[in-house]
Amino acid sequence: MDLHVTLAGRRDLSGQIYRQLRAAIVDGRLRPGQALPPTRELARSLDISRNTVGVAYDRLAAEGFLTGRVGAGTFVQEAGRASRRAPAASPLRPRAAWERVEVWPAARPPGAITHDFRAGLPDVGLFPFESWRRLMSAQLRPDALDAPNAAGDPAGLPALRAAIARHAGASRSVRASEADVVVTAGVQNALDLICRVLLEPGDVVAVEDPGYPPAHLLFRSLGLDVRGIPVDDEGIRVDALPRDARAVYVTPSHQFPLGMPMSLPRRRALLDWARRRDVVIVEDDYDTEFRYGGRPIEPLQSLDDDGRVLYLGTFSKIMRPVLRLGFLVAPPALHDAFRLARYLSSWHAELPVQAALARFVDEGLLARHIRRSRREYQARHERIAERLASGLPELSVVPSVAGLHLGATFPDGRDDAEAVARAQDEGVALYCLSEFAVTGPPASGLVFGYGAVALPDIDEGLTRLGRALRTR
């Protein structure tokens, strides 16, 4: 192994080596069982005598930090970790905003969870892993890694941006060319870029209430003034939008977390309001490739004639969350700024993954995967909606025809967090509506994801949930 040791002057060289190695062992930088370089090798790299290094090793061995094995070498001992010191207190402190930022979603609930209805989790078992591995393997060859574009355009590989423009245009009627697309590390990265390019600390951002927690948590962390705007059965209430808003973040095709689409009159009203107020609309179209009936919902971006809608999409919900790839569609006036912001923040997403995804789209594998997944998710969606309507009168289902989750409210306004806690005792994990509140009074209800629960397990899971709800 390479071991960094710095010697100052020519005095007490063995003592300097001893102290630096001891500190590395105590701090955990050198782990128990890890081999140290032979004394001859370390002496050569430091340009000192082998005996000087040997003295330091012997001293550490005498104190229980190292052990020698004949014919094998010198290794760190487990006992050396016992004297680890607490790190020194630092005067550095984060900005006050970070003291109020929370993590969402929380970790998997404790206990034995047998039926996982948490939203936002796709069924990774549906993903065509063998096809993806073939495409990734092709991109990990030396000739692919040394390609002329390996340095990376901050906006993403041209082949992937073109493929995304074609896919979004065909499947969602998004009006975009390759030049309009910026490849991102998911929706959260896209939101961060938008804030960098268009907003200043103190600007007012309107979000749906209830709404998507990571979005409004990010906005707050950047010093923006987040205002929660109530939603009804047609979507965000345009009449409640603040006059001083600089941006509006919405999920119009499948409201998160309730699940209903924004009506066409409401979408037109929002576009008209934004035009009059000179406001940017951020449209998060996160999972509507999975649509199960009714007329397709036109994105705000396709209705926008003024170029003030920024359209966000993600592949995490379609494929596998670990891929962390998404995209942003922006009007030409913002192309250079977004490219520069992407360069300054993280340069680009992983290039082999981008190249593999471009092939995945162009070979028709993405469309085939979506069709297959849609059939499976539709069966789960319909089964949950049917069971909730017939077997759980405590809940009122919010109409929804798309996505990977549906919402249901408690008409009696009961404590939904308590209901979720009781459900966990029955082995059922899900989210309560109240945890999605932004600034207004929390709604009472439950959110049912069906990406992580198989169709045969739904009935038993909802039976357990019903038992939990009636134990009051």
Side-chain angles (χ1 to χ4, degrees):
M1 64 169 290
D2 290 331
L3 184 62
H4 181 78
V5 174
T6 301
L7 298 180
R10 304 301 298 178
R11 288 176 171 272
D12 190 22
L13 298 182
S14 63
Q16 293 185 54
I17 296 171
Y18 159 80
R19 286 188 289 274
Q20 291 180 53
L21 293 183
R22 186 183 187 281
I25 294 170
V26 170
D27 293 343
R29 287 174 283 141
L30 290 175
R31 301 185 305 276
Q34 192 166 355
L36 267 61
T39 54
R40 187 188 305 276
E41 179 181 314
L42 183 57
R44 186 185 307 114
S45 68
L46 297 175
D47 193 23
I48 58 177
S49 74
R50 181 182 179 187
N51 184 61
T52 301
V53 177
V55 169
Y57 277 26
D58 289 344
R59 185 175 174 186
L60 288 166
E63 294 180 6
F65 288 97
L66 299 180
T67 183
R69 302 176 194 167
V70 177
T74 303
F75 300 85
V76 177
Q77 283 220 87
E78 178 68 41
R81 297 288 297 277
S83 56
R84 174 186 291 225
R85 296 171 298 176
S90 171
L92 303 178
R93 296 291 181 271
R95 290 190 298 112
W98 289 102
E99 297 176 2
R100 300 186 294 271
V101 173
E102 301 172 356
V103 174
W104 191 94
R108 182 183 173 92
I113 299 301
T114 57
H115 297 79
D116 196 344
F117 289 96
R118 289 177 297 162
L121 302 176
D123 187 342
V124 297
L126 298 175
F127 184 67
F129 180 76
E130 291 302 322
S131 296
W132 180 254
R133 182 167 64 177
R134 169 179 62 82
L135 296 174
M136 279 297 300
S137 296
Q139 297 305 320
L140 295 176
R141 300 191 315 268
D143 57 333
L145 293 174
D146 294 335
N149 59 6
D153 183 333
L157 289 181
L160 178 57
R161 292 159 59 203
I164 289 172
R166 290 192 298 272
H167 166 72
S171 65
R172 296 292 295 123
S173 73
V174 171
R175 298 179 297 180
S177 67
E178 172 192 322
D180 299 321
V181 176
V182 178
V183 178
T184 66
V187 165
Q188 206 69 5
N189 178 221
L191 291 173
D192 185 68
L193 293 176
I194 290 169
C195 294
R196 291 170 181 270
V197 169
L198 293 171
L199 301 174
E200 301 280 357
D203 282 349
V204 174
V205 178
V207 301
E208 298 164 324
D209 194 358
Y212 183 53
H216 61 77
L217 290 172
L218 171 66
F219 297 150
R220 287 194 174 109
S221 76
L222 296 174
L224 301 174
D225 182 358
V226 178
R227 310 274 182 87
I229 310 302
V231 298
D232 57 24
D233 57 1
E234 292 189 69
I236 194 168
R237 284 184 45 194
V238 176
D239 63 319
L241 288 167
R243 297 173 61 88
D244 55 348
R246 291 287 301 121
V248 180
Y249 169 76
V250 288
T251 54
S253 296
H254 184 227
Q255 202 277 335
F256 192 93
L258 292 170
M260 70 285 186
M262 187 183 296
S263 69
L264 180 58
R266 188 65 59 84
R267 279 176 280 151
R268 294 196 182 280
L270 177 59
L271 287 168
D272 182 62
W273 180 88
R275 184 184 307 112
R276 288 185 282 107
R277 296 289 180 186
D278 189 26
V279 171
V280 60
I281 298 174
V282 181
E283 177 178 18
D284 185 352
D285 204 10
Y286 61 96
D287 68 358
T288 48
E289 286 84 359
F290 305 121
R291 185 164 187 81
Y292 315 123
R295 298 177 61 182
I297 302 296
E298 281 188 287
L300 288 165
Q301 195 267 359
S302 69
L303 300 172
D304 174 29
D305 294 325
D306 295 329
R308 62 178 62 256
V309 174
L310 301 178
Y311 180 89
L312 313 185
T314 179
F315 293 98
S316 297
K317 300 294 187 294
I318 307 173
M319 298 170 66
R320 296 176 75 101
V322 295
L323 293 177
R324 301 312 307 158
L325 276 177
F327 61 94
L328 159 66
V329 175
L334 298 176
H335 288 178
D336 290 344
F338 276 121
R339 178 178 276 101
L340 183 58
R342 185 75 167 101
Y343 167 75
L344 292 176
S345 61
S346 54
W347 199 335
H348 54 72
E350 294 218 16
L351 297 174
V353 178
Q354 288 193 52
L357 181 55
R359 293 290 303 277
F360 192 76
V361 176
D362 288 341
E363 292 184 10
L365 295 170
L366 178 64
R368 186 186 309 165
H369 170 57
I370 290 173
R371 287 194 299 270
R372 177 192 175 202
S373 301
R374 185 187 294 128
R375 289 192 295 270
E376 176 63 28
Y377 290 142
Q378 180 173 2
R380 301 181 192 183
H381 174 100
E382 292 174 351
R383 187 58 181 159
I384 292 176
E386 175 188 326
R387 279 296 311 272
L388 291 179
S390 63
L392 288 165
E394 299 91 343
L395 289 161
S396 177
V397 179
V398 178
S400 170
V401 293
L404 290 174
H405 75 270
L406 54 83
T409 60
F410 284 121
D412 61 4
R414 71 175 66 186
D415 185 339
D416 57 1
E418 182 184 353
V420 165
R422 289 199 303 271
Q424 289 177 13
D425 294 338
E426 293 283 347
V428 177
L430 72 171
Y431 296 136
C432 57
L433 274 179
S434 61
E435 68 181 285
F436 299 95
V438 183
T439 55
S444 174
L446 301 175
V447 180
F448 294 85
Y450 38 86
V453 58
L455 182 62
D457 298 329
I458 287 175
D459 284 3
E460 172 63 21
L462 295 183
T463 296
R464 293 184 178 209
L465 174 63
R467 188 161 58 235
L469 296 182
R470 290 164 194 137
T471 306
R472 301 185 65 181

